[in-house]
Amino acid sequence: MDCRDKILSDDYVDIVVDFPVDILMTEGSDICYIPLGEGYSVIYDKLLTAQNRWRGPYQYRFTPKVYGLMELDIGSTDSKGQVRAAQLASDRIVAQEPFDPTPLISSGILSVQRDPLNLTGRGCIFCCIDTGVDYTLPVFRNEDGTTRILAIWDQTIQDGPSPEELNFGTIFTREQINEALLTEDPYSVVPSRDELGHGSALAGVAAGSSLGNGTLYLGAAPQADILVVKLKQCKPYLRQYFFLPEDVPAYTEADIMLAIRYADSFADTFKRPVVICLGVGTNMGDHNGNSFLSRYLSCMGGYRSRVMVVAGGNEGNAAHHFFGQIPTDLGRLDSYRDVEVRVAEGVNGFIMEFWGSVPDLFNITIRSPGGETIPPIRLGVEGENTYRFIYERTVITVQSVLVEANTGEQLVIFRVGQPTAGIWNFRVSAAGQLYNGSFHMWLPITDFLTADCYFLSPDPYTTLTEPSMADRVICVSTYNDANNSFFLESGRGFARMGQICPDIAAPGVNISTVYGRRTGSSLAAALTAGAAAQFMQWAVVEGNSLLAETEEVRNYFIQGAVRTTEVSYPSREWGYGRLNLRRVFDVLAGVTGG
């Protein structure tokens, strides 16, 4: 079996590592790998072998996180990720409604597209790592009808040339796309499709141009070149492990990191900037920027002529985060916190993560809705235990890691299968002296649950999704530009250890896309990414700041952000204020203060 077969096989697992792979390549080894740079690689190991090789305290670190789309009501799919025809047809009808330029105006984007700056993203590359793109739409073409898309790497199609060293998927070049557009059946030449429309919506918001036929449509950077990566769905073993619904799009950390590496190969320092937009997220992780994907984004975002923009998610009102504080006084009778989880009928299972603070140690007692109790579980001793209830079908596996390898923090994963509907109680108590006494717990993102499952006493803060809390990315929350109100569903800061994020807020409610009005933090991220391409045209392409990269762009955006006297900044909701690209250049020109 060659490497491509192993990458695609459901019998092989995808594992991200940050050490030299040579130590695993023993004689007779059945491993293949793809180097990512920056010390990272993706290993493909046989499932049965991997279960022994990566067990115990290493299991969490090397289980790829799975990410969902950060748009509300994206629509259901079948098991192959195909959107239902009726839904797509409905979207196309809605797209005939008038284009609303208000988000471009309120973000200061439209005014800098005009004289004297004429910032349209010219010379820049906008990269959308998502569900693909509908390359046949006029919004992605030049005036002469040729495509503005540089290339599509479709990870789901395996019968064409792959990117160098990446060993799977098929690249469709600009020349092939132009050839396809001249035929009656373009998909016979370039069969890559965007069945969900999410990637096309993001690309249109960030870099769309006129739809043609007199229909107005405009993205933030309408002259930027477009690069597309269509992510493949995660493998069945991950759907099973995370209890993912079969009809929900889900993408692995490994495939996203490979897509970032591919996009980075298009950057030309001092000449050709690349802006990468990620409209995906997850609730799994330490919410402090220490996952493999977060760290990789931080590395790539530190390079010149690169900008990383990440959606902050839509989990702020989902009741999927709990923050607890246990008194640190010895002998206190109330030295515990009861964490109650409401589970509705139809939940087939869920993963819940518990993150403590060093050097505290905790015990947890679990009580089912029927009253059965699992006695106190000592957290912090590395290992895994499975508990079965006598009168209920529920099976709970508890994996505890005293010092999680990526973060240095305490972690406990609860994998709850076939939970009985009702109120589950997790009593967290001290195991000895406490020094901080605080802890966080997260349930999966809404799309990854088959029915309602939420904390009865949730905390709306620290609800930004991973990887938006990475260093050297622009983390974007969402507001409604129709009335300048914060979007209730938007993720909120700060990071678990107090780092400031989000950086800014951008419009993301009822945004005009190529498929009609859509809402979600991914739309806010796409708008911000388009603004970043405009800025990089001025900075790099036009030679005004050749060393620009993510952190510089982020700080310019913060300087130009709109702030009000009613809010204290930095804010957990608004970051440093509302995105306004025009004010960035006003600050640069000395017309107004930051």
Side-chain angles (χ1 to χ4, degrees), residues 127-139:
C127 178
C128 185
I129 299 172
D130 211 273
T131 64
V133 68
D134 184 350
Y135 66 87
T136 66
L137 292 176
V139 74

Side-chain angles (χ1 to χ4, degrees), residues 63 66 94 150 184 279 349 449 463:
T63 300
V66 177
V94 174
L150 287 177
E184 292 186 4
L449 292 165
T463 52

Side-chain angles (χ1 to χ4, degrees), residues 6-328:
K6 293 176 183 177
I7 292 170
L8 300 174
S9 173
D10 292 342
D11 295 329
Y12 283 75
V13 298
D14 313 348
I15 302 170
V16 180
V17 298
D18 58 354
F19 56 76
V21 180
D22 295 350
I23 63 175
L24 300 175
M25 305 300 288
T26 58
E27 185 176 350
S29 172
D30 199 22
I31 290 175
C32 77
Y33 71 96
I34 301 175
L36 289 166
E38 304 300 328
Y40 295 94
S41 297
V42 179
I43 287 176
Y44 300 91
D45 197 357
K46 196 152 190 173
L47 180 59
L48 295 178
T49 305
Q51 288 174 341
N52 293 319
R53 192 194 305 274
W54 309 104
R55 66 186 307 170
Y58 305 104
Q59 181 177 337
Y60 178 82
R61 189 185 191 202
F62 298 115
T63 300
K65 292 177 178 56
V66 177
Y67 296 79
L69 301 176
M70 292 296 100
E71 181 186 336
L72 298 179
D73 301 322
I74 184 63
S76 59
T77 64
D78 64 22
S79 59
K80 296 181 180 179
Q82 306 290 317
V83 73
R84 291 194 173 97
Q87 176 68 36
L88 186 56
S90 173
D91 285 341
R92 289 187 179 276
I93 292 170
V94 174
Q96 303 305 314
E97 68 182 33
F99 171 72
D100 181 9
T102 306
L104 298 178
I105 296 170
S106 60
S107 300
I109 287 171
L110 197 58
S111 61
V112 301
Q113 287 183 359
R114 303 165 178 162
D115 291 336
L117 290 172
N118 293 310
L119 299 180
T120 57
R122 177 177 50 82
C124 300
I125 299 171
F126 166 76
C127 178
C128 185
I129 299 172
D130 211 273
T131 64
V133 68
D134 184 350
Y135 66 87
T136 66
L137 292 176
V139 74
F140 303 124
R141 302 197 204 184
N142 297 304
E143 290 183 3
D144 62 2
T146 57
T147 187
R148 293 174 48 226
I149 299 172
L150 287 177
I152 301 171
W153 178 28
D154 193 322
Q155 295 183 352
T156 70
I157 298 175
Q158 310 304 330
D159 55 2
S162 304
E164 185 177 358
E165 295 185 353
L166 298 186
N167 295 324
F168 74 101
T170 299
I171 293 179
F172 299 101
T173 64
R174 169 178 278 179
E175 291 73 21
Q176 289 174 296
I177 297 170
N178 280 330
E179 179 187 349
L181 293 174
L182 294 174
T183 66
E184 292 186 4
D185 180 13
Y187 294 111
S188 65
V189 179
V190 175
S192 181
R193 297 174 183 263
D194 179 9
E195 295 89 357
L196 289 174
H198 188 259
S200 300
L202 299 194
V205 168
S209 52
S210 173
L211 281 172
N213 300 321
T215 303
L216 173 66
Y217 186 88
L218 193 64
Q223 289 188 324
D225 286 326
I226 300 169
L227 180 65
V228 176
V229 179
K230 179 178 178 178
L231 296 168
K232 64 181 176 68
Q233 295 284 326
C234 69
K235 293 182 178 180
Y237 81 93
L238 287 173
R239 285 195 178 272
Q240 180 182 7
Y241 178 79
F242 288 109
F243 300 106
L244 300 183
E246 291 185 3
D247 61 348
V248 169
Y251 310 97
T252 69
E253 189 169 43
D255 289 336
I256 296 170
M257 292 173 71
L258 291 167
I260 293 168
R261 181 199 157 179
Y262 172 71
D264 183 72
S265 68
F266 282 77
D268 188 352
T269 304
F270 310 140
K271 294 179 183 179
R272 197 89 163 108
V274 170
V275 177
I276 295 177
C277 177
L278 282 183
V280 296
T282 183
N283 272 348
M284 300 297 98
D286 76 326
H287 287 71
N288 209 46
N290 287 308
S291 68
F292 281 132
L293 176 56
S294 293
R295 290 184 174 187
Y296 191 62
L297 278 168
S298 298
C299 291
M300 307 308 280
Y303 287 145
R304 306 300 177 186
S305 297
R306 281 80 159 175
V307 181
M308 308 290 165
V309 182
V310 184
N314 308 311
E315 289 288 302
N317 197 40
H320 290 159
H321 170 241
F322 183 92
F323 173 72
Q325 183 80 43
I326 299 176
T328 56

Side-chain angles (χ1 to χ4, degrees), residues 343-345 347 368-370 391-394 416-424:
V343 179
E345 293 282 357
V347 175
S368 75
Y391 293 106
E392 303 173 65
R393 294 183 303 164
T394 306
V416 185
Q418 296 296 315
T420 303
I423 308 298
W424 285 81

